[in-house]
Structures are given as structure tokens and as C-alpha cells.
Amino acid sequence: MNTVTALSWLPYVLIPLIVVALAATFWALTVRNKRRAGSSIEELRRQAAGSTTRPEVAKRPGQPPSAGTGPGSVSPASVSPAKVTPILPTLDTPEASGTRLARLRSRLAKSGSPFGTKLLNLLSRDHLTDADWDVLEETLLVADVGAGPAAELVAALKTRVRVEGASDPARVKAILREELIRLVDPTMDRSLNLGTHHPASRHSAASLVEAQNAESSVPAVVLVIGVNGTGKTTTIGKLARVLVADGKTVLLGAADTFRAAAADQLQTWGSKVGVRTIRSQKDGADPAAVAFEAVKIGKAEGVDVVLIDTAGRLQNKQGLMDELGKITRVIEKEAPISEVLLVLDATTGQNGMQQARVFSAVAGVTGIVLTKLDGTARGGIVIAVQRELGVPVKLVGLGEGPDDLAPFDPTQFVEGILGE
């Protein structure tokens, strides 16, 4: 009985011993693994710390010492980094304005302008009937010459052809050339007014000098207006190139704050010729405030010309037109406006004439810029718009290239239409 009793207690003794032994074994394994992990981390740290130093390499006999190891050598760490010179953008060199209109004449001649070609074909006939003269007048009307100038030209041509008995094509062409040039009116002043309007006193030399000094510090302010789609902002960028080519310092004012890309577009144009753009940092800002700031900065920096872009607006939107009047008034608090250029699309015809009337009444247009004129059948708008407004066409767009804007010359324009 004693033996049986002793054996019955044996499991109660062995099981705790086995549990303790297993726990001890597990603890020992955990400690060993931690030590191994710690050794690996230390090894990695030592390797990382020693990676910046080069280990000694046994040299072969006669091998020269490596750079940075001999007496008086300079370690790579002690060499100061070379200065990096920023690469400045290459600026464009705009084409001189004097050679630009010759390209317009060449383009018009090569395009075979329907306007000039049809007139020459009619006038070169041996005998012109009343029906022929009616067709001639209709051709002029289709070319947007306008009813008054068209009737005037037909009357002048009819008289000269009958009186002179002209039948030779060369003579007929010469007569047509002379009459067209007369209608385009070469006597109008087509130069950009880049002076200022400070009145100089005539009573004392001192006041005259004072006025001249004041005038020299005020830039010429050119306000550019027109409807959307005429190429207004592009025209300003091209005009900046014309002025830079003529040796003027220019500042651009991005007062078209309604069209999201207008300021970016203007800034891109200016950056190509080293011209700065004054713009608002947010869309929808007060355009009059932007224009005023541009003129103020231009005055402080002593630039020659400040070009102000404005939002394209329809001539029948009274609110927008009133805002244009506000821009004009605000600018004139800082400096007088030298030019108000109206940009018209030469292909819009009588719609362009209506735009010209309204804009002229609101902003006092002093000059016209005709875009998309090269190769168009509607070159007669040059005559019509000048007759309607009494202001000259001063600049014409020749195409899509950056230097395709030129001062307008009546003689070369007419000769281009006639294919000379």
C-alpha cells in the first residue's frame, strides 16, 4: 500500500518539473536570439561608419602612392565645391520694324489677292459697259471698302479711264494704284505717339526745363482694346517686340483679369525679349487697379513705354464698356494715355466697323491695328475704318509668326494687293 501511494503522487511532482524545464529552455533561446540580433546591428553600424573611409590596400612594389595619401596631399573632403553659374534664358532678337512690311507686300502679291485681281481684270477690258462698272462697285463693297468710298473710287476711275482713253493694262493698273493709294490716304500720321502730354509753358525758360524733366520721367502709356478673338493679347506681345527692336524699354500690364490664361500668355511673350509683366496674383482682380499699378511701376522705373492689355468685351455689353471707361480714368490719375489702339480682325467686315464706332466713343481710339490682313479678300476695311473714325490704321498683322506685326504703309499695301 505504501508503494502504491507513493507512485500515485509521482505525476504531481514530475509535471511541474517538466513545465519549469521547458520554460527555462524557452527563456534561454530568447536571450540567445536577442544577443545575436544585437551583434548583427552593431556589425551593420560599424560597416556603415567605416564605409566613408577607404580600407588600406596592400601596394605592389614600385606602385606610386594613390591621390590623397602622400605628403601634402589634399583629401577630397577638404576641397570646396565649385560654384554653379545659373544658365540665363536666351532672349530673342526681334526683327527690325523697317523690313517687316516688305514681307506683307510679298505675301499679298504671292497670295493673288482676289480684291486686286478682280479689279484689274475688269479695268483691263477694251470697252467697259455700265454693267461692268456695277460689277466693279460690287467687288469693292464685297471687299468692305464701304458704300461711300466705293462710289467715290468708281467715279474717279470712270472719269480717268474715259478722259485718258486708257486701254493699255499697264496704264489702267497705274490709274487704279493711284486712286487706291489716295483712298487709303498716305497723308495720315501713322506713327505711334510715344511722347507724353505735359504742357510746356511758353513764358519762361525755367518752366520749360521743368516740364521737360517731368516729361522724361513719365512713360508713354498705350492702352490696347478690342473684342475677344481678334488677337489682342498676341498683338501686345508682338508690339513689345517691335518696340524692343526699336531700342525702347517696355513694361507690360496684364489688366485682362477675366480670361484665366491672359496674364500667362502676356508674360510668356514678354519673357522672350526680357520685358517684365505686372499682373495680379488672383483671377478676377480689379483690372483698373492692375493697370494703375503697371503705370505706377513703369513711372518709378523710368521705362519708355507701358503697354496695357484689357479684357476682350463685346461692344454691346454696356457694363463692360463702362468698366473700360473706368480703366482709362484710373490710369490718367497716374499718367496721361499716349495711345488707345483698337485691335480689329480684318476678316470681320462690317461687324468690325460697328465695334470700332462703339469703342471709339467710349475710349477715344487713336489708332487701329488690323490683324489677319495678309491674303484676305477684305483689305478694303482699311479704307472704311479710316473714313468712319477719322483715325489711321497704324499697325497690321501679317501672320502667326512672332515678328509678323508691322507699321502700316499705304503704298506698299496697295502694291501688295495689286500683285506688284
Side-chain angles (χ1 to χ4, degrees):
M1 291 295 293
N2 291 337
T3 303
V4 174
T5 302
L7 290 174
S8 64
W9 284 97
L10 186 60
Y12 296 100
V13 175
L14 292 176
I15 290 174
L17 290 175
I18 293 172
V19 171
V20 170
L22 291 173
T25 303
F26 179 76
W27 178 81
L29 292 174
T30 302
V31 171
R32 187 180 66 177
N33 290 337
K34 285 184 177 180
R35 287 177 179 174
R36 286 181 177 177
S39 299
S40 299
I41 292 172
E42 288 297 325
E43 182 64 23
L44 290 174
R45 287 176 178 173
R46 284 195 298 270
Q47 290 177 2
S51 63
T52 57
T53 60
R54 299 177 62 183
E56 287 294 328
V57 180
K59 300 182 179 63
R60 296 190 300 272
Q63 182 181 1
S66 59
T69 59
S73 63
V74 181
S75 65
S78 66
V79 179
S80 60
K83 292 183 178 180
V84 179
T85 304
I87 300 176
L88 298 177
T90 303
L91 299 180
D92 293 352
T93 302
E95 180 183 353
S97 58
T99 62
R100 296 180 181 215
L101 197 60
R103 288 193 290 114
L104 170 64
R105 174 180 171 180
S106 175
R107 288 186 185 184
L108 287 172
K110 289 179 180 178
S111 67
S113 171
F115 175 33
T117 303
K118 197 165 187 179
L119 291 178
L120 286 173
N121 289 339
L122 285 168
L123 291 173
S124 297
R125 296 177 181 177
D126 293 336
H127 177 70
L128 290 172
T129 64
D130 289 339
D132 292 331
W133 288 113
D134 289 341
V135 172
L136 183 66
E137 186 171 0
E138 181 182 341
T139 301
L140 294 172
L141 291 174
V142 170
D144 295 323
V145 170
E152 182 182 332
L153 179 60
V154 168
L157 289 172
K158 188 182 294 187
T159 299
R160 291 192 61 177
V161 168
R162 288 177 177 174
V163 169
E164 298 180 21
S167 58
D168 178 57
R171 180 56 191 155
V172 169
K173 187 174 183 178
I175 293 174
L176 178 59
R177 175 184 178 277
E178 292 169 8
E179 292 300 325
L180 282 174
I181 290 176
R182 183 182 61 80
L183 276 183
V184 178
D185 195 354
T187 64
M188 299 185 84
D189 181 12
R190 301 178 190 278
S191 61
L192 290 176
N193 178 21
L194 300 181
T196 53
H197 304 281
H198 293 283
S201 172
R202 300 179 182 178
H203 300 292
S204 70
S207 60
L208 178 60
V209 172
E210 209 172 277
Q212 288 174 342
N213 290 337
E215 182 175 347
S216 63
S217 64
V218 178
V221 179
V222 180
L223 185 66
V224 184
I225 60 179
V227 303
N228 286 324
T230 58
K232 176 174 49 60
T233 301
T234 299
T235 295
I236 295 173
K238 293 181 179 182
L239 178 55
R241 296 177 66 91
V242 173
L243 295 173
V244 168
D246 290 342
K248 302 289 185 182
T249 55
V250 183
L251 186 69
L252 302 177
D256 183 355
T257 59
F258 294 99
R259 188 164 63 92
D264 293 336
Q265 182 183 357
L266 197 64
Q267 191 168 359
T268 299
W269 275 103
S271 64
K272 292 180 179 179
V273 287
V275 172
R276 193 154 64 98
T277 301
I278 305 302
R279 56 179 296 179
S280 172
Q281 297 305 315
K282 61 179 182 179
D283 294 335
D286 182 7
V290 176
F292 179 84
E293 186 68 15
V295 175
K296 184 178 179 181
I297 292 174
K299 189 175 179 180
E301 295 182 355
V303 301
D304 296 324
V305 185
V306 178
L307 298 176
I308 304 294
D309 186 18
T310 59
R313 60 199 75 229
L314 295 174
Q315 71 276 8
N316 56 359
K317 298 295 183 182
Q318 189 60 42
L320 291 174
M321 298 305 290
D322 291 343
E323 184 181 78
L324 182 58
K326 175 188 173 184
I327 293 173
T328 303
R329 294 191 299 272
V330 169
I331 289 175
E332 290 182 333
K333 292 180 180 179
E334 187 66 25
I337 296 177
S338 303
E339 284 275 7
V340 179
L341 297 178
L342 173 62
V343 181
L344 292 176
D345 184 338
T347 65
T348 57
Q350 291 304 310
N351 187 39
M353 290 299 303
Q354 178 62 21
Q355 295 170 19
R357 294 186 194 100
V358 179
F359 276 105
S360 183
V362 172
V365 175
T366 60
I368 304 294
V369 181
L370 281 178
T371 60
K372 308 174 187 177
L373 188 60
D374 56 320
T376 178
R378 299 188 176 191
I381 193 174
V382 172
I383 299 169
V385 74
Q386 290 185 157
R387 284 290 184 94
E388 180 68 29
L389 301 183
V391 297
V393 172
K394 294 193 172 185
L395 297 160
V396 288
L398 319 180
E400 297 180 358
D403 291 323
D404 286 345
L405 183 74
F408 180 72
D409 180 88
T411 301
Q412 293 202 42
F413 170 68
V414 169
E415 290 175 349
I417 286 178
L418 297 179
E420 295 183 357

